[in-house]
Amino acid sequence: MLQPATSSVSATGAPSTDTVPAGQGRKVLRAALTTASAGLLVGLDTGLIAEALGFIGRDFHATPRMQEWIVSVLMVGALLGSLGAGVFSQRFGRRLALGSATLLIGVGALLCATAGIIGQILLGRFLIGMAIGICTFTAPLYISELTSGSMRGTMVSTFSMLQSTGILLGYLAGGIFSGGGHWRLMVGLPVIPAALLCAGCALLPSSPSWLAARGRFEEARSVLRSLRGDVAVADRELDNIRHELGAGKPVGGFALLRSQPFFRRSVALGIGLQVMQQLTGINVVMYYAPKILEGAHFGTSAAAWATVLVGLINAVVGIVAIFLVSRWGRRPLLAASCITMAAALGCAGLIEGLHLQGMGATLSLMAALLVFVGGFGIGAGPLVWTLCSEIQPIEGRDFGVACSTLANWGMDWAVSNTFLSIVAVLGAGWTFAGFSALNVVFLFFTLLLVPETRNVPLEVIEQHLEAGLPLRRIGR
């Protein structure tokens, strides 16, 4: 069980020796968990469309190319959603942005469930994609501004873990409904959790950092006192925020990007991390797992339930990652993740490339995919989102996180929109081998550029960044 924070840290990360009362720690925990539950919605649609895609293709006589668009139009929406999320969140706040996203998910799911033409499915998934783009921008950022210390990494990792849980629930629903081909029930399922989360958003506090950036210092003070339960700690935290906002640097993303090389470096690192995360090949497996397994001579029903096992491994490892991220550190877990993924996809590429047959080859391919998913879940999945929320300075945090989130969805679209076509040209063996090589590239990227930010205050990371230290040393 997650424990309430026992020490107070400023919103910028400055440590304090004051003890946070248990009740106030629970307030932060409840708000962070409610926000992190947006990950459940993000993951749920991934799992559902993977199982529903074949039935949709059959009922609407969709070609493989159209099926690629059914999957990838969500990423187009997510790309646009993340592009606008920074402006929306900065102007109206994290809470309203998150609540609006849940409404969009509900509307999109209803459109998909009632579709009479394939264009309605594309529109519904586009709206869901816009909402997911907003969620993946807003949730990690909001969590990082509410929490501190070891809780920061844990709760952002919980957002990623709940994505994995959502994928598993989607796969389970697909396995249950696939027997009757009830794809409309599958794609309409997100309406229920979207409504619950929308109601939960009304109870969330505003971000103290956001309030202060808007000049609403008394409101920020009130929120901090409620969350921290200690007047002195809350006031000191607000003083730190005001100091950073008044430090003389241009406030605003574009102004900071033009004038400050250190901000250009942090934005570039965030973009690089998200691009590399997608080039691991994770969403190829998550979106197309049933098709990959059917191609390996699994029956339709067997492929559906084998896909559930993929989701189960993803969810279980995500839970493990929550406890490891604040103990082992970012760099070791991320490096181990890259090595595991590269080895697993290398094995999958060998099995497919040599056209090995028989039950042994089929089970070996399944094992390789499970190891790959486990490797992603232990490092590249949660840590990329954690790092992207940690490395940006307060003045440009909205802009920096928006840029990295935009890169994530843009690359996700590029991979998911071309996978079936690439396999048709190169074959599954060479395709898996290519993703294996990209994971090796990610390993070197990690070793050369990624900082260790475990238990490092956000204030210290920003100071090191401004001082011009190499990116891998801006942590500790």
Side-chain angles (χ1 to χ4, degrees):
M1 179 181 293
L2 295 174
Q3 298 298 321
T6 56
S7 64
S8 179
V9 182
S10 76
T12 60
S16 168
T17 59
D18 296 270
T19 299
V20 178
Q24 305 305 318
R26 284 193 291 271
K27 282 188 177 181
V28 176
L29 186 59
R30 282 197 300 268
L33 283 173
T34 301
T35 306
S37 64
L40 191 71
L41 289 172
V42 174
L44 186 60
D45 189 75
T46 300
L48 289 170
I49 196 60
E51 298 284 18
L53 184 61
F55 298 108
I56 294 172
R58 180 198 63 193
D59 286 0
F60 290 97
H61 307 290
T63 65
R65 183 61 183 147
M66 180 54 69
Q67 291 182 48
E68 285 180 331
W69 272 106
I70 291 171
V71 171
S72 63
V73 71
L74 183 142
M75 293 85 199
V76 177
L79 189 150
L80 294 176
S82 62
L83 185 63
V87 175
F88 188 92
S89 179
Q90 185 180 39
R91 180 168 298 180
F92 300 107
R94 291 38 166 144
R95 181 175 57 180
L96 185 57
L98 201 61
S100 300
T102 61
L103 288 176
L104 276 179
I105 288 176
V107 171
L110 284 174
L111 283 173
C112 290
T114 59
I117 58 174
I118 204 164
Q120 187 173 331
I121 293 178
L122 293 174
L123 175 60
R125 284 187 54 76
F126 176 79
L127 293 178
I128 292 172
M130 288 190 66
I132 287 175
I134 296 170
C135 285
T136 52
F137 165 85
T138 306
L141 176 62
Y142 181 47
I143 291 169
S144 71
E145 291 177 340
L146 280 184
T147 59
S148 56
S150 61
M151 184 185 279
R152 190 178 69 223
T154 297
M155 295 312 303
V156 176
S157 296
T158 300
F159 170 76
S160 182
M161 181 274 290
L162 287 174
Q163 288 188 58
S164 302
T165 303
I167 292 171
L168 173 60
L169 292 176
Y171 287 163
L172 283 170
I176 293 169
F177 295 134
S178 62
H182 302 300
W183 63 267
R184 294 182 186 276
L185 292 176
M186 297 184 203
V187 297
L189 191 60
V191 172
I192 298 171
L196 293 174
L197 181 56
C198 185
C201 287
L203 304 177
L204 292 173
S206 294
S207 161
S209 295
W210 177 79
L211 289 170
R214 305 290 294 175
R216 296 159 61 177
F217 295 109
E218 289 308 312
E219 292 178 65
R221 189 189 310 277
S222 176
V223 172
L224 283 170
R225 287 180 176 180
S226 174
L227 292 175
R228 304 298 180 244
D230 186 305
V231 172
V233 171
D235 289 348
R236 185 161 54 249
E237 198 165 323
L238 182 60
D239 287 343
N240 286 331
I241 295 174
R242 297 184 72 156
H243 174 74
E244 289 190 21
L245 290 172
K249 298 183 287 291
V251 176
F254 282 111
L256 201 64
L257 192 71
R258 286 194 302 267
S259 63
Q260 299 295 344
F262 74 84
F263 187 48
R264 292 195 288 271
R265 291 196 303 139
S266 66
V267 169
L269 178 58
I271 290 173
L273 281 165
Q274 294 286 12
V275 167
M276 292 309 306
Q277 186 200 60
Q278 290 306 308
L279 290 179
T280 62
I282 184 59
N283 282 322
V284 164
V285 175
M286 291 303 175
Y287 293 134
Y288 297 109
K291 286 188 171 292
I292 293 170
L293 295 171
E294 285 177 25
H297 308 294
F298 278 76
T300 301
S301 179
W305 286 108
T307 302
V308 172
L309 184 57
V310 171
L312 179 62
I313 293 296
N314 190 38
V316 170
V317 172
I319 294 172
V320 174
I322 290 175
F323 297 97
L324 294 182
V325 67
S326 295
R327 296 183 182 183
W328 289 11
R330 281 48 160 167
R331 279 171 57 90
L333 278 177
L334 197 53
S337 176
C338 294
I339 293 170
T340 303
M341 291 187 293
L345 288 184
C347 291
L350 190 63
I351 293 167
E352 291 282 7
L354 294 177
H355 303 289
L356 300 178
Q357 302 294 319
M359 183 60 69
T362 300
L363 293 178
S364 295
L365 176 62
M366 182 70 195
L369 294 180
L370 292 176
V371 171
F372 166 74
V373 169
F376 178 85
I378 204 73
L383 290 177
V384 166
W385 292 106
T386 301
L387 285 161
C388 286
S389 68
E390 291 177 330
I391 61 176
Q392 304 300 342
I394 187 172
E395 295 87 352
R397 191 168 294 151
D398 291 85
F399 180 85
V401 175
C403 287
S404 58
T405 306
L406 181 68
N408 177 282
W409 289 112
M411 188 55 62
D412 191 353
W413 173 83
V415 171
S416 62
N417 189 252
T418 57
F419 174 70
L420 294 179
S421 300
I422 291 173
V423 170
V425 174
L426 298 180
W430 281 111
T431 303
F432 282 132
F435 281 115
S436 175
L438 288 170
N439 279 288
V440 175
V441 174
F442 196 5
L443 173 63
F444 284 103
F445 180 94
T446 298
L447 296 177
L448 292 174
L449 296 173
V450 175
E452 178 53 70
T453 58
R454 179 173 66 97
N455 292 335
V456 180
L458 300 184
E459 180 184 66
V460 172
I461 296 172
E462 182 170 350
Q463 290 170 353
H464 290 172
L465 185 65
E466 292 181 22
L469 293 181
L471 286 172
R472 69 178 181 275
R473 292 178 53 202
I474 63 174
R476 57 176 180 153

